[in-house]
Amino acid sequence: MRVFVTGATGFVGSAVARELLGAGHRVVGLARSDRAVTALTAAGVEPYRGSLDDPDGLAAAAKDSDGVLHLAFDHSFTDHAAAAVADLRVVESMGAALEGTDKPFVVTSALQLAPGRLGTEDDPMKSGASRGATEDATLALAGRGVRSVVLRLAASVHGRGDHGFVPRLIEIARERGAAAVIGDGANTWPAVHVSDAARLYRLALDAAPAGTRLHAVAERGVPLRAVTEAVARGLDVPFVELTAEQAPAHFGWIAPFVALDVQASSDRTRALLDWRPTGTTLLADLAEDHYFAP
């Protein structure tokens, strides 16, 4: 299968590309720069020059493929609402190009679910969630001849090379000289090892039914207190508790994410696709030196 992958040079996307290549698929990856072209070529991926600012070009690439995995997203967090609008535009363009083909179209989302209870694949996003419109648009494509699938990634997709929320927590702790939680740190993040997430993308491409939501969740909820204590040990800095009022000054833009309290199940995903996470846990990963190397 010729698979078009956006975000193929990213932490998760590059793992997905390796997984697909290992399964015998031909992978075409979105490349926004000469550096990306070089990296993709070295990895055995065919580069496709373009960007998220060119939905028409992405639609053309989708049309020429046998399936699409959409992982790219603007994670600069300078204007998250604008990034979500841009993502919706990209999904709508690629989805239109795939209409009537029954080709797989797997769109990445996040676990923006209501706090206080265990979320499942049947749960819609909480009211006002930034990626809610994109999820709705993706699932609607199932009625227009596209095998469309929403794949929600855990808050922490971890492993060697991670540059997501956990590395940012480590950077902040190093800069501030202390590893902090908000309140008592009892709030939780779902987690998954990057190798398990990559395998789920491949399984979704191969077999997920149209109109389904999948949860890339190996651990339902890891307490932020345990994560932060691991960071304190890894850096040999104090562990401190902050009030909600103190958090923005300490954490900056990541403060709302540190305050997230989400638990999510992947029971239906596992049963549907026989997905069995085998990667190391988040806390075991944090016990390794690679997270704390300068």
Side-chain angles (χ1 to χ4, degrees):
M1 187 182 294
R2 186 177 192 268
V3 186
F4 179 50
V5 181
T6 70
T9 58
F11 170 57
V12 181
S14 58
V16 169
R18 291 192 297 272
E19 177 75 22
L20 295 176
L21 291 169
H25 293 296
R26 177 183 172 192
V27 182
V28 179
L30 178 64
R32 293 175 291 172
S33 65
D34 291 342
R35 182 178 180 182
V37 168
T38 300
L40 290 172
T41 302
V45 175
E46 178 185 331
Y48 178 87
R49 284 303 296 260
S51 75
L52 297 180
D53 297 325
D54 181 19
D56 291 340
L58 298 180
K63 188 174 183 179
D64 288 341
S65 72
D66 298 312
V68 177
L69 302 182
H70 176 47
L71 287 84
F73 190 86
D74 180 2
H75 288 292
S76 63
F77 294 101
T78 54
D79 191 340
H80 195 66
V85 170
D87 189 52
L88 174 60
R89 186 169 61 248
V90 166
V91 168
E92 289 176 335
S93 295
M94 291 197 291
L98 295 172
E99 279 190 31
T101 65
D102 290 323
K103 292 178 181 178
F105 182 28
V106 182
V107 174
T108 304
S109 189
L111 284 164
Q112 295 175 302
L113 305 174
R117 64 180 181 84
L118 183 67
T120 74
E121 293 88 340
D122 286 341
D123 288 322
M125 283 198 165
K126 66 181 179 182
S127 177
S130 60
R131 292 193 179 186
T134 299
E135 282 205 5
D136 291 343
T138 301
L139 297 175
L141 289 167
R144 290 152 52 189
V146 182
R147 185 157 62 82
S148 58
V149 177
V150 168
L151 194 155
R152 292 168 168 170
L153 287 175
S156 175
V157 183
H158 58 92
R160 190 175 295 275
D162 181 3
H163 50 259
F165 292 142
V166 169
R168 182 58 189 145
L169 290 179
I170 293 170
E171 290 174 5
I172 292 170
R174 186 177 277 122
E175 293 165 1
R176 304 292 188 190
V181 293
I182 302 173
D184 62 4
N187 58 302
T188 62
W189 283 358
V192 65
H193 192 271
V194 65
S195 62
D196 291 320
R199 189 165 65 258
L200 182 56
Y201 274 98
R202 177 178 59 79
L203 293 171
L205 176 79
D206 292 343
T212 55
R213 297 188 189 96
L214 304 175
H215 280 185
V217 172
E219 297 178 89
R220 292 183 171 191
V222 183
L224 262 291
R225 186 179 189 91
V227 172
T228 306
E229 288 172 341
V231 171
R233 288 192 298 272
L235 294 177
D236 193 22
V237 297
F239 170 88
V240 299
E241 296 180 359
L242 303 179
T243 65
E245 292 73 25
Q246 292 171 319
H250 182 90
F251 291 110
W253 64 264
I254 201 177
F257 297 95
V258 179
L260 281 177
D261 186 16
V262 176
Q263 291 194 42
S265 165
S266 60
D267 291 351
R268 297 185 184 185
T269 297
R270 297 181 194 218
L272 181 66
L273 298 176
D274 194 28
W275 179 61
R276 303 179 186 278
T278 58
T280 187
T281 65
L282 175 55
L283 294 180
D285 221 355
L286 278 168
E288 301 292 332
D289 291 339
H290 64 86
Y291 264 106
F292 302 100

